[in-house]
Amino acid sequence: MALPKDRFLAIVNPAAGGGKSAKLAGPALARLREKGLHIDVIASTGPGHALQLAREAFGQGYRKFLSVGGDGTAHEIINGIFANNSNPERIALGFLPLGTGNSFLRDFSDKGAEASLDALIARRTRPVDLIRLTHAVGEIYSFNILSLGFTADVGAVTNRVFKPLGHIGYLFGVLVRVAQLKRRAFVLRCDHETEWDTRRSLFLAFNNSKYTGGTMLIAPHADPSDGQIEFVRWGPIGRLGLLRMLPRLYNGTHINHPLASRRAVRHVEFKIPVPVDVLIDGEIFSLECKALDIVPSALDIYI
């Protein structure tokens, strides 16, 4: 029997937010049910499980999803539906942001879960883009940020050591990577360019939305609905200059620095012959990157 079109599947990551998600999910979902939303609920049990659950649910006919956790939970839901299925039947995704990292929603509101609940109750959606990374063995979709270099280095050490500390843990990760600073060349070209860019960089960030790490305004010009990737590049700054610049990452003025640049692109081709750490929506992957593309208006979100 086909599922009703208005039925949601809420995928709950009970470990998100240091266990906060497990405690708060029930009351939040009960409130939505009281307002007339029809919601089925299932919990993920570990990394990658939400991806599997979303893929199975899509196959069963679900077209409305609730991500109950952090950005990593939403990332898995999106990839469970889109990876190796680049043109699926349209879906809508709502958020109950109960994890440590909820960067994406900050583009739309600073009220977090309350704003998401209001949008779900009002059935208010808007279309958003996705970024598709093609790598040596497949593809991954991003709704927030995809980055190489310093930002990925910070994400790796933060996830490994400091993640339980939330936003302050990200700052600790930044300080560790400043001490271990690397400036590398990630060879690429964009859109219709014929020449490869071989310059060394502190980091390259390909953004669908403005924030990462919860509150860092990496890409102040990004718009998740404009059909473009906001490409922010930082040249090979030294440690002292980087320390002076760090506070500016939180208000977006870092892009005014002489070593910074930004532009909107639709396609990026890489020539990186070995796997590198890539930060994607707060998670770290080791990938041999081939290309990036924008998928305009790929899904609807409740906001």
Side-chain angles (χ1 to χ4, degrees):
M1 185 174 65
L3 289 166
K5 289 186 178 296
D6 64 347
R7 195 157 199 90
F8 285 82
L9 179 67
I11 298 180
V12 180
N13 176 5
K20 181 176 71 171
S21 179
K23 299 175 183 177
L24 300 180
L29 292 170
R31 178 177 167 186
L32 291 173
R33 285 178 171 136
E34 289 170 0
K35 297 296 183 178
L37 274 70
H38 304 288
I39 305 172
D40 298 323
V41 182
I42 192 166
S44 62
T45 58
H49 192 207
L51 185 151
Q52 178 185 344
L53 292 172
R55 179 176 293 154
E56 293 172 354
F58 184 83
Q60 293 165 1
Y62 286 97
R63 297 296 180 264
K64 295 185 177 183
F65 294 83
L66 274 176
S67 170
V68 187
D71 285 339
T73 308
H75 170 85
E76 288 198 14
I77 292 172
I78 288 169
N79 277 276
I81 296 163
F82 281 88
N84 303 314
N85 184 22
S86 58
N87 190 28
E89 189 175 332
R90 194 158 192 87
I91 68 159
L93 177 65
F95 297 80
L96 290 181
L98 305 177
T100 52
N102 298 288
S103 306
F104 180 73
L105 289 180
R106 286 184 63 87
D107 274 40
F108 310 99
S109 172
D110 59 2
K111 295 181 180 178
E114 197 62 35
S116 295
L117 286 166
D118 289 345
L120 286 158
I121 291 167
R123 278 68 164 180
R124 184 175 62 247
T125 65
R126 63 174 290 173
V128 300
D129 309 329
L130 291 176
I131 298 173
R132 180 177 59 233
L133 169 65
T134 303
H135 55 90
V137 294
E139 58 187 26
I140 297 180
Y141 288 78
S142 166
F143 68 100
N144 175 213
I145 182 174
L146 189 149
S147 185
L148 297 85
F150 179 75
T151 42
D153 296 340
V154 170
V157 73
T158 301
N159 286 0
R160 189 171 66 246
V161 181
F162 302 119
K163 191 164 188 175
L165 300 178
H167 297 325
I168 193 69
Y170 199 85
L171 179 58
F172 285 141
V174 167
L175 295 175
V176 167
R177 290 310 192 188
V178 168
Q180 302 170 337
L181 196 60
K182 299 177 183 177
R183 285 141 294 191
R184 291 154 286 178
F186 300 103
V187 180
L188 59 80
R189 59 188 179 189
C190 300
D191 292 334
H192 303 296
E193 293 174 345
T194 57
E195 299 295 321
W196 293 96
D197 186 344
T198 61
R199 294 173 294 171
R200 289 195 309 148
S201 302
L202 176 69
F203 70 79
L204 308 175
F206 304 93
N207 307 270
N208 192 43
S209 58
K210 293 178 173 64
Y211 290 89
T212 190
T215 57
M216 298 181 80
L217 186 53
I218 293 289
H221 295 283
D223 180 346
S225 302
D226 67 354
Q228 298 180 320
I229 303 167
E230 179 71 5
F231 175 18
V232 176
R233 178 186 182 274
W234 256 88
I237 194 170
R239 287 183 179 85
L240 184 57
L242 177 55
L243 285 170
R244 288 173 175 165
M245 183 269 294
L246 284 176
R248 297 170 63 181
L249 287 169
Y250 290 87
N251 62 19
T253 60
H254 68 97
I255 64 168
N256 299 323
H257 191 283
L259 284 175
S261 64
R262 53 117 345 230
R263 57 176 165 153
V265 301
R266 290 184 171 85
H267 174 76
V268 181
E269 184 180 356
F270 296 100
K271 190 163 67 173
I272 308 173
V274 296
V276 294
D277 280 345
V278 187
L279 172 72
I280 307 177
D281 300 345
E283 305 299 317
I284 300 296
F285 302 84
S286 181
L287 301 168
E288 188 177 329
C289 302
K290 298 299 184 183
L292 285 180
D293 293 282
I294 193 72
V295 185
S297 299
L299 77 161
D300 297 315
I301 64 161
Y302 288 86
I303 194 65

